[in-house]
Amino acid sequence: MKVEKRRSALNKYWASGQSKVALIGGPNVGKSVIFYELTGIYGLVANYPGTTVEVMRGSGFFYGHNVEIIDTPGMYSLIPTSQEEEVTRQILVQEKPEVIIHVVDARNLPRMLNLTLELLEWELSVVLVVNMLDEAEKQGIEINLKKLSQSLGIAVIGTVATTGKGIEEIKSTLARILGEEGFPQTHITYDRQLEEILEEIGSFLQGNIYPGKRGAALQLMQEDEKSTKMFQVPDNRKIREELLASYREKLGIPLCLFVRLQRQKKVDFLIAGAVESKSEKTFLAENLSRLMIHPLTGLPFLFLVLYLGFYQLVGILGAGYVVDFLDNRIFLGIFNPAMSRLVTDFIPWPAIQELLVGDFGIITMGLRYALAIILPVVAAFFFFFSLLEDTGYLPRLALLLDSLFKRIGLNGQAVIPVVLGLGCDAMATMSTRILSASRERLIVTFLLTLAVPCSAQLGVIAGLLSSMPGALFIWFLFVAGSFLLMGFISAKILPGERLPFCLEVTALRLPSLSNLLFKTWKRIEWYLMEILPLFLGASIIIWVGQLVGIFELLIGVLAPVVSLIGLPAESSVVFIFGFFRRDYGAAGLFDLHARGVILGHELVVAAVTLTLFVPCVVQLAVNIKERGLKAALIMCGIIIPFAFFMGFVANILFELGIFTI
Amino acid sequence: MEMQASSGREIAGKREKALPLSQAEVGEVLVLVELSRIQPALSCRLFSLGFLPGREVQILQRWPAFLFQIGRTQIATDREVAEGIIVRRKKPSL
């Protein structure tokens, strides 16, 4: 919401004298990199179909022309089949950009040019950008851009976006088109049979229709009421339905397919002589890709990825070395003592001293937890996740885990939010927008909130338990078991069918380090902007709570529950922290362990309960925003008792001697 | 729904034996005939990805999920979707 508001303010600012240009294209064609090169603003680039959920805007100044550039979510066709494609079509219809830059992957022109034709059907001013020319060349694909431009009747520019090749030509072409030259009119005609149908439908359409009568007629043929609403076609539904039904009868195939076949025929005709494909041999990347998804090698490869990513990078490097250095050396060694001295020297009031540098002080605890303990872990994870995204591993992971996810009412596509949840559950809950059904979004949100530990939690808990491999295993058993059990149950309880799984597996690619770092930095920035204030806010709440005694009261209320699961009363502090932020609680656990309050199997019980426990404040806020207050409260009502119940079970199993560590 | 109505007629019209993609072997190259029992929205997506009648499709993998190649595009689907994609063998065996 906040982001949207900021953007609309920017829009107002930009509105004066700016031309609008929209970047359109399928997922993973390099749109976002081109957007960055044109505007200097960085949107998230991802090698996964459908990750650019939000619309990015930026502006550029090309040869005297002030241009607003809109980066749209990936789309396959103007007939939307997902929320994101819907968004892109909305932008075209409502914002009416003056120029459309259609970005395509040079390796896949026969498929991608279908969308170019669709855009031309709408009589839009299209500039075609053929990206990844270098990759195409490597695969023996030769493209005669000049010929392609002639047969399509529009400007065609070849680019290698990652190196900046061709970007200048996009700028100069835009300037030329927006300037005196204007846009050349180009018209694509199909076979007579289709053209006659279009004319007949068009004669029923009155008034000024946005994409033109022919464009609207094509949309109506391919779609349904959605188009009618979108283009405000006057309601002569009966005639139209009878008309369309009669064509369907006559042609013997769905109209939507008829149109697509015609279009593909046209595309094949237009690129004949302009595109030559010489070899189709298997490449290294293709072999690696097979390895990743083969039933025998896929799982070992996944474990290798998790081991390197989570254990080595996030665990050992992030949660180990960096946290140790920042926390012990910088904060506890230098920063905190210095700030304590400074505050006690200059501020005489004990209450304020307590607020700033006390046990739960904003500086000594809030800032320290956020920057020294949580941030390094989260940053390491963000880097790891960006790597997974940019290499194209995620769709392969989706393929690999589809049948497992089917068991819990989801399909492979839900892998993405779940993996992202291992970084930050709140961010992951927002990304459930890529899932197409509300039932799936609900299940994923519930599971994220319950049983997917975020990287901050994961790092601290793994760090606490890593000295006892048995403990780590029992913790994993409980968390993974809860994930599958509750997933299975929600799939049974929630009405609705599970959705078919169908996903483009985009080519593997070697990510560029600068891209990865920039993306990691963008996510860290998001973390600092959205999460850090909450950390500090939590410190203030705890301070106020302490002053008025609510904090002690809460700890007192929770103490019997905590002792029921076999933990010392002091540990209820951790759950109170956990209420403000889940990972905050984990960090508190770290402290308790360091002070020798929680030891041995109690640590496992606490870790299990805390992992499953109530979402952090941010997660709760996101759940309410994305799923509604009622659903969010019901989830909490299930999760809190369940978390303590599992802690209780773990404790009993330890007491009975069934578990030993 | 309209997909289904038209599909029966289409199959009957073909002389070569049509089969669902889910029954083909890994490595086989087949020709797409039509989509059947697939919801309109998913059909649309499949058409956009290149699943058009007459195009060739190769099966790269069957388990844990299906993986197909059409032109330069690779698509993963589950068994249900693969069952709805009707193909015929390139050269009908005698």
Side-chain angles (χ1 to χ4, degrees):
Chain A
M1 286 292 120
K2 227 183 276 166
V3 182
E4 274 310 309
K5 253 180 238 161
R6 232 179 286 147
R7 279 188 191 141
S8 67
L10 278 177
N11 287 349
K12 234 173 263 168
Y13 168 72
W14 280 332
S16 49
Q18 260 196 332
S19 314
K20 261 188 198 173
V21 172
L23 277 165
I24 302 255
N28 198 33
V29 294
K31 247 178 325 120
S32 300
V33 181
I34 291 175
F35 175 75
Y36 174 57
E37 306 245 6
L38 289 177
T39 62
I41 293 176
Y42 193 84
L44 287 183
V45 199
N47 192 13
Y48 180 77
T51 315
T52 319
V53 175
E54 292 197 310
V55 178
M56 294 285 298
R57 290 163 194 275
S59 60
F61 200 71
F62 313 138
Y63 302 92
H65 290 273
N66 194 4
V67 179
E68 180 192 343
I69 313 255
I70 310 168
D71 184 22
T72 62
M75 91 180 322
Y76 287 105
S77 159
L78 283 177
I79 305 299
T81 54
S82 73
Q83 264 177 317
E84 296 157 295
E85 285 181 307
E86 194 81 60
V87 167
T88 303
R89 190 164 79 164
Q90 292 275 358
I91 290 171
L92 290 181
V93 173
Q94 285 165 4
E95 304 203 23
K96 300 189 174 55
E98 280 136 86
V99 181
I100 310 292
I101 300 178
H102 181 206
V103 186
V104 294
D105 181 342
R107 291 168 295 185
N108 211 342
L109 286 181
R111 189 186 103 205
M112 304 239 169
L113 288 183
N114 277 284
L115 181 55
T116 317
L117 294 201
E118 283 187 74
L119 293 165
L120 290 173
E121 285 164 11
W122 279 29
E123 290 164 27
L124 298 168
S125 310
V126 183
V127 172
L128 183 68
V129 170
V130 181
N131 193 23
M132 306 195 198
L133 275 181
D134 54 338
E135 302 268 341
E137 208 171 299
K138 267 187 230 159
Q139 298 192 7
I141 300 169
E142 266 176 38
I143 300 167
N144 187 335
L145 296 168
K146 214 170 170 187
K147 228 170 179 175
L148 194 59
S149 168
Q150 279 165 358
S151 56
L152 283 166
I154 58 174
V156 176
I157 301 161
T159 59
V160 182
T162 44
T163 66
K165 188 184 167 228
I167 299 297
E168 211 45 49
E169 200 185 335
I170 298 180
K171 293 180 182 173
S172 62
T173 306
L174 279 179
R176 233 176 44 228
I177 291 169
L178 292 168
E180 286 160 20
E181 193 175 295
F183 210 86
Q185 280 298 315
T186 177
H187 190 71
I188 303 282
T189 43
Y190 296 113
D191 286 357
R192 226 184 64 202
Q193 196 180 16
L194 177 55
E195 289 299 333
E196 280 173 8
I197 294 175
L198 291 178
E199 193 138 314
E200 199 175 345
I201 297 176
S203 68
F204 286 97
L205 304 175
Q206 261 111 48
N208 242 338
I209 291 167
Y210 164 61
K213 277 182 186 167
R214 191 165 171 277
L218 273 158
Q219 292 287 305
L220 286 174
M221 275 188 81
Q222 297 171 81
E223 218 191 4
D224 41 28
E225 306 109 77
K226 241 193 242 163
S227 307
T228 318
K229 272 181 218 137
M230 182 139 261
F231 308 121
Q232 293 169 340
V233 171
D235 194 34
N236 45 11
R237 172 177 292 191
K238 206 179 159 220
I239 302 169
R240 231 186 36 246
E241 270 175 11
E242 276 169 18
L243 199 64
L244 293 178
S246 76
Y247 293 136
R248 217 171 296 149
E249 187 66 26
K250 203 155 66 183
L251 296 168
I253 55 170
L255 294 181
C256 151
L257 178 57
F258 178 68
V259 172
R260 274 168 206 268
L261 282 169
Q262 284 276 323
R263 204 181 280 128
Q264 186 64 55
K265 194 173 152 197
K266 193 78 190 177
V267 167
D268 294 342
F269 171 77
L270 289 172
I271 62 174
V275 179
E276 239 172 286
S277 185
K278 277 182 183 158
S279 73
E280 288 225 28
K281 58 180 177 191
T282 314
F283 298 91
L284 181 71
E286 184 53 32
N287 288 328
L288 188 62
S289 169
R290 298 280 171 88
L291 191 81
M292 289 173 174
I293 53 175
H294 191 276
L296 284 181
T297 50
L299 280 183
F301 189 89
L302 171 60
F303 285 121
L304 184 71
V305 168
L306 293 180
Y307 170 77
L308 290 177
F310 279 109
Y311 192 76
Q312 292 293 342
L313 186 71
V314 180
I316 305 285
L317 184 70
Y321 289 117
V322 184
V323 168
D324 184 53
F325 174 75
L326 285 178
D327 195 35
N328 289 331
R329 293 283 179 81
I330 306 292
F331 271 84
L332 293 178
I334 304 168
F335 186 74
N336 279 6
M339 290 312 284
S340 293
R341 228 173 302 130
L342 203 69
V343 170
T344 37
D345 282 357
F346 286 92
I347 300 171
W349 308 282
I352 303 292
Q353 286 177 7
E354 191 66 22
L355 170 66
L356 294 175
V357 295
D359 280 348
F360 306 103
I362 294 182
I363 296 171
T364 41
M365 190 183 79
L367 208 60
R368 186 189 127 216
Y369 275 13
L371 295 182
I373 299 181
I374 310 301
L375 182 64
V377 182
V378 172
F381 175 82
F382 284 160
F383 182 79
F384 174 53
F385 188 77
S386 304
L387 196 65
L388 291 185
E389 258 184 344
D390 278 11
T391 50
Y393 183 60
L394 290 177
R396 288 165 178 83
L397 187 60
L399 184 158
L400 202 61
L401 296 182
D402 178 60
S403 41
L404 177 69
F405 272 57
K406 285 274 166 61
R407 300 278 161 87
I408 55 172
L410 303 169
N411 71 34
Q413 239 147 324
V415 162
I416 315 311
V418 171
V419 174
L420 188 55
L422 293 169
C424 174
D425 286 310
M427 199 185 230
T429 304
M430 289 197 255
S431 81
T432 56
R433 289 176 203 163
I434 66 165
L435 303 174
S436 41
S438 62
R439 176 175 181 263
E440 285 189 302
R441 292 194 283 265
L442 197 64
I443 295 179
V444 173
T445 306
F446 176 65
L447 293 176
L448 283 171
T449 313
L450 175 77
V452 179
C454 66
S455 65
Q457 255 187 326
L458 212 57
V460 177
I461 285 172
L464 282 173
L465 302 181
S466 61
S467 56
M468 312 173 274
L472 201 59
F473 181 70
I474 291 170
W475 171 82
F476 174 79
L477 220 60
F478 268 89
V479 174
S482 303
F483 181 87
L484 293 176
L485 176 75
M486 293 307 260
F488 185 76
I489 294 174
S490 16
K492 286 269 177 270
I493 291 175
L494 287 171
E497 278 175 42
R498 62 167 196 235
L499 289 171
F501 173 63
C502 171
L503 188 68
E504 181 184 359
V505 179
T506 48
L508 282 182
R509 66 182 176 199
L510 202 64
S512 88
L513 187 65
S514 60
N515 239 353
L516 282 179
L517 291 177
F518 212 99
K519 204 158 147 174
T520 308
W521 168 242
K522 273 288 147 185
R523 288 188 163 133
I524 292 174
E525 202 177 76
W526 172 87
Y527 173 83
L528 292 176
M529 298 285 287
E530 305 283 322
I531 308 297
L532 191 64
L534 287 159
F535 264 90
L536 304 182
S539 290
I540 295 177
I541 292 171
I542 294 176
W543 174 72
V544 172
Q546 263 186 322
L547 276 191
V548 299
I550 289 178
F551 192 46
E552 270 77 17
L553 195 75
L554 273 176
I555 290 176
V557 168
L558 212 56
V561 184
V562 169
S563 64
L564 199 67
I565 62 170
L567 297 179
E570 224 182 321
S571 59
S572 55
V573 177
V574 164
F575 293 95
I576 303 293
F577 288 178
F579 192 79
F580 295 107
R581 262 193 73 74
R582 238 202 312 201
D583 38 359
Y584 211 177
L589 196 63
F590 190 76
D591 252 8
L592 281 183
H593 178 63
R595 289 195 280 131
V597 177
I598 292 186
L599 292 167
H601 84 255
E602 292 167 357
L603 205 56
V604 184
V605 174
V608 166
T609 316
L610 203 72
T611 308
L612 301 176
F613 191 59
V614 175
C616 66
V617 170
V618 194
Q619 172 80 50
L620 191 64
V622 171
N623 279 3
I624 293 171
K625 192 183 142 211
E626 299 281 321
R627 301 289 91 85
L629 183 64
K630 198 178 138 202
L633 289 180
I634 291 174
M635 282 184 209
C636 281
I638 297 169
I639 288 166
I640 299 172
F642 183 79
F644 280 105
F645 177 71
M646 291 314 264
F648 181 73
V649 171
N651 187 48
I652 295 229
L653 292 174
F654 274 115
E655 307 246 301
L656 291 177
I658 294 170
F659 284 163
T660 43
I661 47 170
Chain B
M1 290 305 104
E2 67 187 55
M3 302 275 137
Q4 212 169 345
S6 63
S7 65
R9 208 178 314 139
E10 188 77 12
I11 296 181
K14 295 283 170 204
R15 229 174 259 167
E16 299 88 343
K17 206 180 146 209
L19 71 163
L21 200 40
S22 57
Q23 284 175 17
E25 306 283 320
V26 170
E28 254 189 297
V29 179
L30 304 117
V31 181
L32 275 163
V33 177
E34 57 163 348
L35 303 178
S36 98
R37 285 181 296 121
I38 288 181
Q39 291 161 355
L42 183 59
S43 302
C44 255
R45 168 58 59 91
L46 287 168
F47 292 151
S48 307
L49 287 168
F51 273 85
L52 291 170
R55 309 260 334 249
E56 285 183 2
V57 55
Q58 186 179 17
I59 304 207
L60 301 178
Q61 191 170 316
R62 291 172 54 95
W63 196 83
F66 280 84
L67 184 70
F68 312 120
Q69 174 133 9
I70 293 188
R72 301 253 173 190
T73 306
Q74 290 191 357
I75 299 126
T77 77
D78 57 21
R79 170 164 285 278
E80 282 87 347
V81 175
E83 276 167 357
I85 300 171
I86 308 300
V87 290
R88 62 179 159 82
R89 297 228 151 81
K90 225 174 141 188
K91 279 176 191 159
S93 50
L94 296 169

